[in-house]
Amino acid sequence: MERGSMLYMIAPPMPFYVIGGVNQYNPGDEHPDRYAIGVFDMLLVMKGALHIAEEQRSWRVGPGQMLILRPDLHHYSAGPCEEETHHYWLHFMPAGEWWEIPDDQRPPDKDRLVQLQSARTKFPLHRVYTIAVPKYGMIPSPGKTFDALKHLIQSELEPPSLVLWKHQSILDELIRDLHRDQKSVNDTQAVRLAEQAEAFLKQNYKHPLTNALLGEALNFHPNYIARSMRKVLGLTPVEYLMQYRLEQAKLLLMKTELSVMQIAEEVGFQQTAYFSRCFSSKEGVSPLQFRKKFKKRG
């Protein structure tokens, strides 16, 4: 069996549910051979064991374990079942970018930040995260998970419009549990600190801010805060503050008749010219051109 790896997915939007089912294999039965099926295939074993391969890698997926097979690779049986085996399968797909990295390597920061920036361009007013889930491992809370999957499969016979939210909520909770379960104590501290820093910046973005002030407010060294924010949100405090100020400026340009100078002051810029340069660099148009463009749409 190969060493573990992590699947990283950009959100929002969250990975979406496609279809699911339950299979029972007798001794000697094998998982079907499939090539690039176009969706992630999550296998969750209740009883027995599956022997699964993907390209040159293979796994034994036993009771209470799960494996996520990629949408772009060839997966097939690595051997027949040795005993009666029951497992659920879920097909899902992220709407955005995703990638896989061995768990003894860090995600390449440059590539990860490119992916995050691409997502922020599509969803400028949302917080954008990297969801990390193990490709193979134990199922968090298997009793709760299998009970939820049982209801999901039973509801497949109901009209799609009635079960859309149920199916998606079950997948969301499973992805969330997998993501949360693999986080280390250090990651948890980094997440909490990043969230505290984000909240502080949002509450005080109208005022002059520095890394030193942020460090004093949160009682952590500014460098550690910056590392935590970059790890969790993909941005340093300075980058996040600039992005948030510009997003607030866009809202004011769209919803008010305030002058550019007033808006610059309102969102924390001390110089109108610097605000205009930053805005134009990010949006490709000046603040007034952005306002006119929006007014035309309205």
Side-chain angles (χ1 to χ4, degrees), residues 55-94:
E55 300 293 347
Q56 304 303 314
R57 304 174 293 178
S58 63
W59 300 265
R60 179 188 183 277
V61 191
Q65 294 183 319
M66 50 73 63
L67 172 68
I68 302 176
L69 299 167
R70 286 173 46 164
D72 58 338
L73 298 179
H74 178 204
H75 66 257
Y76 52 94
S77 170
C81 294
E82 299 158 350
E83 57 185 308
E84 185 176 305
T85 299
H86 299 183
H87 76 278
Y88 286 101
W89 55 270
L90 296 179
H91 288 176
F92 70 94
M93 196 64 196

Side-chain angles (χ1 to χ4, degrees), residues 7-18 38-41 68-72 91-99 122-123 129 131 133 168 171-172 175:
L7 294 166
Y8 294 87
M9 307 173 195
I10 297 296
M14 293 296 291
F16 60 89
Y17 173 80
V18 178
V39 292
F40 282 103
D41 186 4
I68 302 176
L69 299 167
R70 286 173 46 164
D72 58 338
H91 288 176
F92 70 94
M93 196 64 196
E97 293 85 356
W98 63 270
W99 63 99
K122 297 176 184 176
F123 307 98
Y129 298 93
I131 299 173
V133 297
Q168 188 60 42
L171 175 65
D172 288 348
I175 293 290

Side-chain angles (χ1 to χ4, degrees), residues 133-175:
V133 297
K135 183 178 180 69
Y136 166 78
M138 300 302 298
I139 301 169
S141 306
K144 180 190 75 172
T145 298
F146 290 139
D147 186 58
L149 292 175
K150 178 180 177 180
H151 290 296
L152 182 148
I153 301 307
Q154 290 174 341
S155 67
E156 286 284 356
L157 300 178
E158 300 176 23
S161 60
L162 298 179
V163 297
L164 169 65
W165 303 113
K166 181 189 297 184
H167 289 170
Q168 188 60 42
S169 65
I170 290 173
L171 175 65
D172 288 348
E173 186 168 3
L174 180 54
I175 293 290

Side-chain angles (χ1 to χ4, degrees), residues 188-233:
T188 300
Q189 184 181 53
V191 169
R192 289 176 179 171
L193 182 56
E195 290 177 346
Q196 290 172 0
E198 181 182 26
F200 180 85
L201 294 173
K202 284 184 174 181
Q203 292 168 3
N204 298 279
Y205 73 95
K206 297 182 180 182
H207 309 296
L209 291 174
T210 64
N211 285 332
L213 285 174
L214 182 61
E216 291 176 8
L218 301 182
N219 200 29
F220 278 93
H221 194 283
N223 290 343
Y224 181 63
I225 297 174
R227 288 198 302 271
S228 296
M229 284 197 69
R230 186 157 190 168
K231 181 176 184 179
V232 176
L233 300 175

